[in-house]
Amino acid sequence: MAGNELRVTSSKNSIFKARPILVALWFSILFLPFKGAKAALILFVVLSTSIVLSRSLLSYAKSLREKGQAVSNRIRTIKLSTRSLFVARYSLLLILIALPFFVRDYLLDIAILTGIYIILALGLNVVVGFTGLLNLGFVAFYAIGAYTYALLNTALGIGFWPSLPLSVGLTALSGFVLAVPALRLRGDYLAIVTLGFGEIVRLVLNNWDSLTKGPNGISGIEPPYLMGISFWRLSNYYYLILIFALLTIVIIKRVYSSRIGRAWIAIREDEIASSAIGINTPMYKLYAFAFGAFWAGLAGALFAGKMQFVSPESFTFMESVLILCMVILGGLGSIPGVILGAIILVILPEVLREFQLYRMLALGSGLVLLMIFRPRGLFGGKSVSLRS
Amino acid sequence: MKKYLLLFLSIVLTLSCAKKEETIKIGIAGPMTGDQAKMGTDFKNSVTLAVEEWNAKGGVLGKKIAVMIADDQRDPKQAVSVANKLVNKGAVGIIGHFNSSCSIPASDVYNRAGIPMITPASTNPQLTEKGYRGVFRVCGRDDQQGKVAAGFVIHQLKLKKVVVIHDKTTYGQGLADEFKKFLGGMVEVVYYGGIVQGDKDFKTVLTAIKDKKPELIFFGGIYPEAGLLVKQARELGLSVPFMSGDGTIDPKFIEIAGAQAAEGTYLTFSPDPQHIPTAKEFIDKYKARYGELGPYSIYAYDATNILLTAVKEAGTKDGKAIIERLHSMEFSGALGKIKFDNRGDVTVAPYVVWITKNGKFEEYWKL
Amino acid sequence: MLAQQIINGLTLGGVYAIIALGYTMVYGILELINFAHGEIYMLGAYAGIIFFGLFTAIGLTSYSLPLSIVLTLILSIIFCSSYGFTIEKIAYKPLRKAPRLSPLISAIGVSIFLQNYVMLTQGATDRVFPYLFGAAGFDFIGARVTYLQSFIIAISALLMLSLHFFVARTMIGKAMRAVAQDRVMASLVGINIDTVISTTFVIGSGLAAVAGMMVAMYYGLVNYSIGYIAGIKAFTAAVLGGIGSIPGAMFGGIVLGLVEAMGAAYISSEYKDAYAFVILIIILLIKPAGLFGKSTEDRYK
Amino acid sequence: MYLLEVRDLTKHFGGIKAVEEVSFKVREGSIMSIIGPNGAGKTTLFNCLTGLTKPTKGKIYFLDKDLASLPPHSIVKLGIARTFQNIRLFREMTVLENVMVAQHSKAKSGLFGSILRPQGFIDEEKTIKEKSIEYIELVGLEDFTNTIAGNLPYGSQRRLEIARALATEPRMVLLDEPTAGMNPQETSEMMDIMKRLQEFGKTIILIEHDMKVVMGISDRIIVLDHGIKIAEGLPDEVRRDQMVIEAYLGKETH
């Protein structure tokens, strides 16, 4: 069947059509054993009132959606003269450069983390957004990049810069290796195999004590050191990340609008048609995995340099899911969207520090709601068919 | 691209500066959430109790003492980032962290910032061997604990073949290795291996151990895994005595293993606070306010008092001066006399062997 | 020693098989990997603890232990089935016509939601199931088997047989197989697709509840994250046996349990969880249809 | 000179004999039509020729090279392009992008080229764009260059698929029911396009049901029925062939 078009059926509103009281009762009964009668009662009252108002809520939600649609369409179609676009872009750059002078360390720390996640999200976007291959084990490459630098530095004393090409190269190679089995597999099987790969890497890091010191992790990693500037101080590290993040954006943008980028998009749209017009689809899937892994390796090395400590606990499946959320929230295949997705999902939890506990709860339900109501994410201009 | 406008807005949104106010800030760091939240709460209760007492007497250096609570969720990465946060917020001293796997990486941050850190519970020797001037601990060290355990097996139980397993964590593996080291050639270790923390099924490794016919199984690790190991060993018909360290001395261990299976388990831990005369006053206050005493509550209480006394005697908020003061002073607290050696460990750390008897822990043997 | 490891492997395999049945049925009908199925199993374990605690509180357990266990089992089956039913209606039904990967991502979302939902309501520390059966057991060809272990192996075999019978003989079973073959044709001959899909989720979740209860009694210790690894292992078992085939899920579960036990005993127990992933990648490369499954030319579907 | 020679091509799916020992030759520059009732194996034959499915038995020689074992993308490089019965466009790309991506195998720029963007890369991108516009004009879609392919009307989508096939600069084009679902006016426009392709020296193999198109445009015709070639020859010969009438044309009298 031709690339299946995304049609959200009407069955979605049938949930609300059923008598609201019954639905509210149903959820409170489900909740009852977990938190006892009192909490269930409160939930029942809250739910039933909200669903009863659902008619107005639904229509409100619809109008919200239309407005949202209009806004995001208008954003996409704002005919900004190139001059004012030029001004906007460079004033943003100036602010980013001046940031360390009037912001305290704690926020710099978050800005650095945001930079690292932007590089990761852009890397995953190449695999999921451009080529349409769901990679659930992306954190494995992040870990390989981090541990390669950590080991080279602590065991052999090699500095950040000489070991960077090696850790990034090794990660790209492992991207290639993972892709080989993935070539013959269809979407959902591929997702599970990549997930398996991610877990195997984490288990090896956790259990190969002689090399990786197991769950205790490796500490005392040297931060990068360049021409007399020790990047230990946060503001210096901030600039390092800023440069690398901008480099990532420019390079990925250029590859996207080149012959290679077009081939990836073609594979996402319709793999059979792509091979019928001369694209060596298996080879380009390998490139996508390796290229995506390359950036994860870079982010890993930068993370290790910043934290000066790596342990398997920071490279779990949840990390892969978080990066995937950034790509989906931002908009599959849209570079500015993915950047915004990364910014939101790093800064929001910090701003809502007291709700720290509910962060993953929101992430989980967010994924479900995104898939149902906004599969294209915030900026995904094109309704993407996450190739079957 | 026009979308960069939106990026610009979101970045401006995040710029905010915290306001300043005049108090002496000390930080507590430990697992406040996650599966070891109980240990973190013990910390918080004891430190708050000590700080309230000091504030009642006018605080220190004429200023009120404020407590900053940092949750590292037992994750080394979080430990480093909360450590940075506490340093940024101007903490004068730190009580914490709880797990050795968090204290070690966090100590790099505190050392660089030059502020003192006193951990009430991280027992891995590595913490004080990095030569950091400002790192102290009021609890014992695994090697001291391992020595007492080995002495007990050699001299008291007079066994020849033992098994040593650990949960591969900084604490668990550290304790197991120390125990093995002090056994020397006197006792043969027929099996040495690791299990994965958080795992539930140990039948396979216990079967392999049963094959080796040991006279005792030593486990370096904490109560959840210890409880499962004992229970599943008994289910496999492996009835040899089981021994572990201070990470297992928690009523939950008996609840998980079942009183019958846990009967006769040996545990190394510091002397029973109930027996120490100076601790009586603290125990009554703590129990009155928070109920059941955690294994490390008394240590956190003493650690706080030591830190605040050092700040008072040093007469300044400057980290370096407080650290020197901590090295030179002698403090008598709930645990009795406490003096730090030049590496930051307590000079005297007597460990004793406890035993579980019909569902309760009792002191059993002294080196 | 080998006999004991086989017993260990069989018990583990029994639990994986029961969960794998859920995966195989849902995948057969919707071609969806119900990533949240592992969490339903975890909910089953918690339900077991909560309901059993309730019965002990009202004194039923001291009155008659077997009755309170059976009642707990029934209640947790109903409880998990209703969760399975609700999840299908909220997270999967709206995505029935969406591209194949959307429901998978939605399932991952549900899985994370459930894990944290239980962590927040029941607390992060492990919950303990009272230690009922003690270490009582019997010796069998040189291995020590507790009654509970034999009970688990028997139950998983029984469940597989009854499910196989249900799918082969009953009307709903036929409808399920029809929907599995071709959803459009099935609806044309008057099968109500939605009820069939809901029944599949209800049965699958009920099975997961049984597995959850077993594990709660067997290990006596449960926390909110046991569903994740167990879920992936059960999926591996389903794929090993041939996704969509009920005997395949059973066979795959047993084989996986044995491989894990043997691997842990003879290779290294630290990599216990890795064996499942290695097997998964190998099968998907060599024989994606698995041992019993029908080979679907699914690359160019 | 024969561009393509097929010898005893056979393809079985389990028990089903989709194509059974079909042999034929195609002269360069000619238009060959393949007709036959539904399920006669026409599309399977196309899939074997383009490497989408591996034939069970038999040889396919294109410019004296055996294609049987080559993957689809190498066959395209040799010079065979195709369209699909159910249109397979890159629905989210614009018309221009659809055609530009088809010149993939002709372009050479690698990863570093696209990052550093040397002059060579920029020129190549320009020529790709210019060529694409030529092909778009050839099929008369110049007004839709920047519209999203998915939004095009049915007839134009068919034409875009042909433009995209042409962009791979093939010597032979395989058209799978190009006029399916088209009104007479669009059908005759499609026939003009095919004639123009022939004038450019392209060889065409056509699967078609519309007898007016087949008789009007083909140089030679092959008739398939249940995977077997039951007739081959000039349009007039085939129209009178008894076997063909029975199996396919029925008792139509002209």
Side-chain angles (χ1 to χ4, degrees):
Chain A
M1 173 169 82
N4 34 33
E5 191 42 53
L6 191 71
R7 285 183 311 285
V8 177
T9 61
S10 65
S11 59
K12 187 158 56 312
N13 352 34
S14 62
I15 308 167
F16 290 101
K17 267 203 225 65
R19 276 171 304 289
I21 302 299
L22 253 181
V23 170
L25 190 65
W26 175 262
F27 279 105
S28 355
I29 294 170
L30 287 183
F31 190 66
L32 186 64
F34 273 101
K35 239 347 193 193
K38 195 163 60 58
L41 199 63
I42 299 165
L43 180 72
F44 173 68
V45 166
V46 165
L47 264 177
S48 44
T49 40
S50 64
I51 294 187
V52 157
L53 309 171
S54 68
R55 291 307 171 292
S56 49
L57 253 176
L58 204 63
S59 50
Y60 173 65
K62 265 209 186 54
S63 61
L64 202 69
R65 218 153 82 102
E66 263 79 37
K67 268 206 248 54
Q69 208 81 33
V71 165
S72 72
N73 289 348
R74 204 152 27 72
I75 290 174
R76 270 202 305 287
T77 51
I78 295 173
K79 280 285 161 282
L80 270 176
S81 67
T82 43
R83 208 186 57 71
S84 61
L85 191 63
F86 180 84
V87 164
R89 187 178 296 174
Y90 279 93
S91 54
L92 173 62
L93 201 60
L94 272 176
I95 289 184
L96 286 178
I97 290 168
L99 200 60
F101 294 107
F102 53 88
V103 160
R104 291 193 11 122
D105 282 1
Y106 170 57
L107 286 171
L108 266 190
D109 206 28
I110 298 171
I112 289 168
L113 210 59
T114 317
I116 292 180
Y117 274 108
I118 284 178
I119 298 174
L120 276 170
L122 286 173
L124 182 64
N125 189 40
V126 169
V127 182
V128 178
F130 293 171
T131 328
L133 303 170
L134 183 57
N135 179 351
L136 291 178
F138 196 65
V139 78
F141 305 127
Y142 184 38
I144 293 171
Y147 264 82
T148 314
Y149 170 52
L151 289 169
L152 286 176
N153 185 265
T154 47
L156 309 171
I158 303 174
F160 178 82
W161 300 103
S163 64
L164 190 59
L166 199 64
S167 59
V168 174
L170 193 66
T171 326
L173 191 69
S174 50
F176 223 88
V177 163
L178 167 68
V180 166
L183 293 187
R184 305 176 48 239
L185 294 176
R186 212 174 28 151
D188 42 10
Y189 275 89
L190 169 69
I192 296 298
V193 164
T194 52
L195 185 139
F197 178 77
E199 285 298 310
I200 289 177
V201 166
R202 189 177 57 78
L203 281 168
V204 166
L205 294 180
N206 208 31
N207 294 319
W208 191 354
D209 298 343
S210 52
L211 184 70
T212 62
K213 293 209 187 72
N216 314 332
I218 300 168
S219 58
I221 304 165
E222 252 176 68
Y225 185 81
L226 190 67
M227 289 173 278
I229 318 160
S230 145
F231 280 94
W232 176 75
R233 280 188 55 258
L234 279 184
S235 48
N236 297 8
Y237 211 90
Y238 169 80
Y239 287 118
L240 183 72
I241 297 286
L242 185 62
I243 295 161
F244 271 113
L246 291 176
L247 214 63
T248 317
I249 295 170
V250 166
I251 291 177
I252 289 186
K253 196 152 181 34
R254 284 189 163 189
V255 173
Y256 172 73
S257 45
S258 77
R259 161 177 173 261
I260 299 167
R262 285 195 294 272
W264 282 334
I265 306 286
I267 292 174
R268 176 189 77 200
E269 287 304 313
D270 188 328
E271 189 176 344
I272 297 164
S274 318
S275 59
I277 54 160
I279 297 174
N280 182 345
T281 52
M283 191 49 76
Y284 271 81
K285 284 194 202 175
L286 286 181
Y287 287 156
F289 262 91
F291 193 62
F294 176 91
W295 299 107
L298 172 67
L302 288 170
F303 175 74
K306 159 79 176 60
M307 301 300 286
Q308 296 164 49
F309 172 80
V310 283
S311 77
E313 267 151 30
S314 351
F315 303 106
T316 57
F317 171 61
M318 281 310 152
E319 206 72 19
S320 282
V321 170
L322 181 65
I323 306 167
L324 183 66
C325 278
M326 293 174 184
V327 173
I328 292 175
L329 175 66
L332 281 163
S334 133
I335 294 175
V338 162
I339 295 172
L340 191 65
I343 290 174
I344 292 174
L345 284 181
V346 171
I347 289 176
L348 211 58
E350 294 298 333
V351 166
L352 306 169
R353 202 77 184 117
E354 332 64 65
F355 301 105
Q356 239 281 343
L357 277 175
Y358 304 98
R359 178 167 160 268
M360 292 310 282
L361 207 66
L363 202 74
S365 36
L367 262 180
V368 178
L369 297 174
L370 262 175
M371 277 298 116
I372 296 175
F373 294 106
R374 188 100 179 134
R376 295 206 308 275
L378 298 178
F379 270 94
K382 302 164 178 146
S383 91
V384 171
S385 68
L386 255 184
R387 198 184 55 73
S388 63
Chain B
M1 296 273 287
K2 30 234 174 288
K3 296 174 180 88
Y4 280 101
L5 264 182
L6 257 180
L7 292 192
F8 167 62
L9 286 177
S10 54
I11 291 198
V12 167
L13 255 175
T14 60
L15 309 184
S16 65
C17 309
K19 55 183 177 354
K20 287 234 176 328
E21 94 268 318
E22 208 32 66
T23 56
I24 303 273
K25 290 199 267 289
I26 65 167
I28 321 175
M32 298 305 167
T33 58
D35 47 15
Q36 284 182 357
K38 198 163 90 59
M39 299 295 178
T41 344
D42 286 349
F43 267 26
K44 211 166 33 183
N45 299 345
S46 314
V47 175
T48 343
L49 201 61
V51 165
E52 272 162 15
E53 278 165 12
W54 278 76
N55 279 337
K57 289 197 290 265
V60 75
L61 305 180
K63 293 191 185 68
K64 278 276 172 279
I65 303 161
V67 175
M68 297 188 291
I69 299 164
D71 175 13
D72 65 16
Q73 295 170 4
R74 192 170 62 86
D75 167 14
K77 181 180 97 170
Q78 296 268 6
V80 172
S81 73
V82 294
N84 279 316
K85 230 170 280 175
L86 288 174
V87 168
N88 289 340
K89 287 201 180 129
V92 168
I94 305 290
I95 306 294
H97 295 228
F98 175 71
N99 312 73
S100 303
S101 57
C102 291
S103 297
I104 294 173
S107 64
D108 300 335
V109 176
Y110 300 130
N111 178 54
R112 257 203 309 279
I115 57 171
M117 150 188 175
I118 308 177
T119 169
S122 302
T123 53
N124 185 291
Q126 250 183 33
L127 177 63
T128 46
E129 254 135 47
K130 297 168 87 144
Y132 289 154
R133 193 82 183 119
V135 175
F136 300 86
R137 70 173 124 211
V138 284
C139 53
R141 290 165 47 115
D142 291 341
D143 49 4
Q144 295 158 326
Q145 193 173 178
K147 195 155 140 230
V148 169
F152 178 67
V153 164
I154 299 166
H155 303 302
Q156 180 67 12
L157 300 178
K158 297 184 177 58
L159 302 178
K160 284 296 161 258
K161 287 202 297 182
V162 290
V163 154
V164 177
I165 46 178
H166 56 83
D167 65 358
K168 297 172 65 60
T169 61
T170 319
Y171 161 69
Q173 192 159 357
L175 179 57
D177 293 346
E178 292 301 327
F179 173 72
K180 194 154 141 258
K181 196 174 73 185
F182 283 102
L183 283 180
M186 315 263 284
V187 178
E188 186 205 351
V189 175
V190 292
Y191 179 93
Y192 174 82
I195 53 123
V196 178
Q197 195 178 36
D199 204 349
K200 297 287 182 275
D201 187 300
F202 305 116
K203 282 272 171 100
T204 43
V205 71
L206 286 168
T207 315
I209 287 172
K210 185 178 169 192
D211 210 39
K212 298 277 193 296
K213 297 193 178 35
E215 293 160 311
L216 174 129
I217 302 171
F218 183 89
F219 171 64
I222 47 174
Y223 64 88
E225 284 75 28
L228 286 171
L229 279 167
V230 169
K231 182 163 89 97
Q232 290 175 19
R234 300 307 180 239
E235 278 172 9
L236 283 172
L238 191 57
S239 53
V240 290
F242 192 83
M243 186 168 192
S244 184
D246 58 341
T248 305
I249 195 154
D250 188 302
K252 263 271 180 80
F253 165 69
I254 298 172
E255 195 187 338
I256 295 166
Q260 196 228 346
E263 193 60 21
T265 304
Y266 302 114
L267 301 153
T268 47
F269 191 51
S270 55
D272 184 348
Q274 262 83 5
H275 296 178
I276 309 169
T278 51
K280 190 131 187 29
E281 189 206 340
F282 162 70
I283 292 169
D284 302 342
K285 259 187 287 175
Y286 188 93
K287 276 203 173 127
R289 183 118 178 246
Y290 299 108
E292 193 212 333
L293 199 69
Y296 295 102
S297 315
I298 195 164
Y299 289 91
Y301 181 69
D302 266 5
T304 322
N305 288 327
I306 294 171
L307 177 67
L308 293 173
T309 320
V311 171
K312 186 153 111 333
E313 285 169 8
T316 143
K317 286 205 304 188
D318 163 47
K320 296 269 174 312
I322 301 171
I323 291 170
E324 288 323 313
R325 191 73 205 107
L326 280 167
H327 273 293
S328 58
M329 71 190 234
E330 194 174 299
F331 178 80
S332 63
L335 283 163
K337 284 262 168 312
I338 292 179
K339 177 121 189 43
F340 294 115
D341 64 20
N342 51 30
R343 280 187 317 200
D345 292 321
V346 276
T347 43
V348 172
Y351 273 97
V352 290
V353 177
W354 294 53
I355 189 165
T356 47
K357 246 201 189 48
N358 38 54
K360 283 209 302 316
F361 297 112
E362 278 168 22
E363 237 184 83
Y364 177 71
W365 179 82
K366 267 200 180 62
L367 189 60
Chain C
M1 164 91 138
L2 179 65
Q4 186 63 56
Q5 297 296 23
I6 289 174
I7 298 293
N8 298 340
L10 281 177
T11 331
L12 261 178
V15 173
Y16 291 149
I18 303 177
I19 310 172
L21 290 176
Y23 272 105
T24 270
M25 282 165 48
V26 165
Y27 193 89
I29 302 278
L30 285 171
E31 285 207 6
L32 159 69
I33 298 171
N34 181 7
F35 207 81
H37 191 55
E39 267 56 56
I40 306 269
Y41 148 77
M42 176 268 291
L43 283 176
Y46 268 88
I49 291 178
I50 294 167
F51 290 129
F52 192 80
L54 192 71
F55 290 130
T56 335
I58 59 171
L60 183 66
T61 9
S62 45
Y63 171 69
S64 105
L65 185 61
L67 178 65
S68 87
I69 288 185
V70 165
L71 276 180
T72 311
L73 195 60
I74 294 166
L75 270 181
S76 32
I77 289 176
I78 297 166
F79 178 74
C80 286
S81 304
S82 36
Y83 264 82
F85 173 81
T86 319
I87 289 169
E88 195 275 326
K89 282 284 176 279
I90 295 178
Y92 302 147
K93 189 155 186 284
L95 294 172
R96 206 152 293 156
K97 294 204 175 43
R100 178 188 307 288
L101 290 179
S102 305
L104 176 61
I105 293 173
S106 170
I108 293 171
V110 170
S111 152
I112 297 169
F113 179 83
L114 286 178
Q115 280 183 38
N116 288 277
Y117 160 71
V118 169
M119 184 184 84
L120 290 171
T121 51
Q122 293 292 311
T125 42
D126 299 352
R127 288 293 300 271
V128 178
F129 193 90
Y131 193 34
L132 307 172
F133 301 98
F138 52 92
D139 283 314
F140 173 70
I141 49 163
R144 181 97 188 121
V145 182
T146 62
Y147 292 127
L148 189 55
Q149 275 179 317
S150 49
F151 178 70
I152 290 175
I153 297 169
I155 282 280
S156 68
L158 188 74
L159 280 176
M160 195 284 290
L161 285 176
S162 40
L163 186 67
H164 192 58
F165 174 80
F166 173 82
V167 168
R169 290 288 181 285
T170 62
M171 270 308 291
I172 309 178
K174 285 198 191 61
M176 280 161 70
R177 272 183 288 129
V179 170
Q181 248 110 48
D182 189 329
R183 226 184 298 167
V184 176
M185 284 314 295
S187 58
L188 287 181
V189 298
I191 295 175
N192 177 333
I193 302 294
D194 286 332
T195 36
V196 166
I197 291 176
S198 300
T199 344
T200 317
F201 272 87
V202 164
I203 297 172
S205 308
L207 290 170
V210 173
M213 181 76 174
M214 297 287 133
V215 154
M217 287 198 285
Y218 183 51
Y219 293 127
L221 198 64
V222 157
N223 69 32
Y224 65 92
S225 61
I226 56 169
Y228 169 63
I229 286 283
I232 295 176
K233 285 186 183 172
F235 174 69
T236 307
V239 169
L240 180 63
I243 197 90
S245 125
I246 307 247
M250 182 71 193
F251 183 82
I254 298 296
V255 165
L256 188 63
L258 289 174
V259 163
E260 211 172 282
M262 294 305 148
Y266 297 104
I267 304 173
S268 112
S269 66
E270 286 155 9
Y271 284 98
K272 197 154 64 77
D273 291 346
Y275 304 133
F277 296 119
V278 170
I279 295 172
L280 178 69
I281 293 176
I282 293 170
I283 329 156
L284 287 182
L285 286 185
I286 299 165
K287 195 168 185 306
L291 308 175
F292 288 80
K294 37 193 173 4
S295 90
T296 51
E297 181 55 43
D298 54 17
R299 244 186 346 183
Y300 283 109
K301 204 163 167 190
Chain D
M1 185 275 274
Y2 288 109
L3 198 58
L4 177 77
E5 188 189 347
V6 175
R7 266 203 232 115
D8 308 333
L9 182 64
T10 310
K11 176 62 185 176
H12 298 164
F13 290 105
I16 307 150
K17 295 185 172 48
V19 175
E20 190 58 26
E21 299 195 345
V22 169
S23 306
F24 61 90
K25 291 190 183 124
V26 180
R27 192 179 302 285
E28 172 134 38
S30 68
I31 296 185
M32 156 86 79
S33 286
I34 302 176
I35 60 172
N38 280 337
K42 305 190 292 291
T43 302
T44 313
L45 179 66
F46 259 29
N47 287 346
C48 292
L49 289 178
T50 54
L52 234 52
T53 35
K54 290 281 163 286
T56 320
K57 195 157 61 61
K59 289 269 179 281
I60 308 169
Y61 292 104
F62 181 74
L63 297 167
D64 309 328
K65 266 208 251 11
D66 179 6
L67 304 183
S69 59
L70 292 178
H73 55 83
S74 330
I75 293 176
V76 172
K77 287 201 183 71
L78 289 177
I80 300 182
R82 70 167 294 174
T83 63
F84 292 88
Q85 194 177 3
N86 38 23
I87 302 176
R88 281 185 174 278
L89 285 177
F90 303 130
R91 311 184 67 77
E92 304 314 325
M93 288 185 177
T94 64
V95 168
L96 180 62
E97 281 165 350
N98 264 271
V99 182
M100 280 173 72
V101 84
Q103 293 166 49
H104 174 85
S105 43
K106 292 288 171 281
K108 281 180 220 39
S109 64
L111 184 65
F112 294 105
S114 44
I115 295 172
L116 307 173
R117 308 231 151 186
Q119 192 49 37
F121 172 84
I122 297 163
D123 299 344
E124 189 184 62
E125 285 289 306
K126 207 148 61 45
T127 43
I128 289 177
K129 196 167 246 173
E130 277 150 16
K131 273 221 198 98
S132 309
I133 292 166
E134 267 168 47
Y135 289 119
I136 291 172
E137 272 150 16
L138 177 75
V139 291
L141 287 175
E142 53 278 10
D143 320 337
F144 300 99
T145 331
N146 289 321
T147 26
I148 301 281
N151 304 345
L152 287 175
Y154 177 79
S156 319
Q157 287 194 11
R158 277 275 171 217
R159 285 203 236 139
L160 174 57
E161 214 183 3
I162 293 176
R164 191 179 65 179
L166 288 176
T168 60
E169 287 156 18
R171 295 183 62 160
M172 183 160 77
V173 185
L174 279 60
L175 302 175
D176 196 338
E177 292 186 33
T179 61
M182 280 191 175
N183 57 45
Q185 209 271 334
E186 283 169 334
T187 309
S188 69
E189 274 164 20
M190 184 56 81
M191 287 169 77
D192 298 342
I193 294 175
M194 284 196 264
K195 283 208 185 63
R196 238 178 289 139
L197 293 184
Q198 194 175 24
E199 280 146 25
F200 282 153
K202 305 286 185 203
T203 314
I204 297 177
I205 303 184
L206 188 60
I207 293 181
E208 191 44 72
H209 281 291
D210 183 334
M211 281 308 121
K212 274 198 293 327
V213 174
V214 171
M215 294 305 164
I217 198 167
S218 325
D219 300 329
R220 290 184 67 76
I221 296 175
I222 291 181
V223 185
L224 290 186
D225 187 17
H226 295 297
I228 302 157
K229 184 177 89 172
I230 55 170
E232 181 182 358
L234 302 172
D236 300 339
E237 288 163 4
V238 164
R239 194 189 303 138
R240 282 195 299 284
D241 184 310
Q242 200 44 38
M243 290 269 287
V244 170
I245 292 166
E246 255 161 45
Y248 182 60
L249 298 179
K251 294 291 169 296
E252 220 169 331
T253 51
H254 279 274

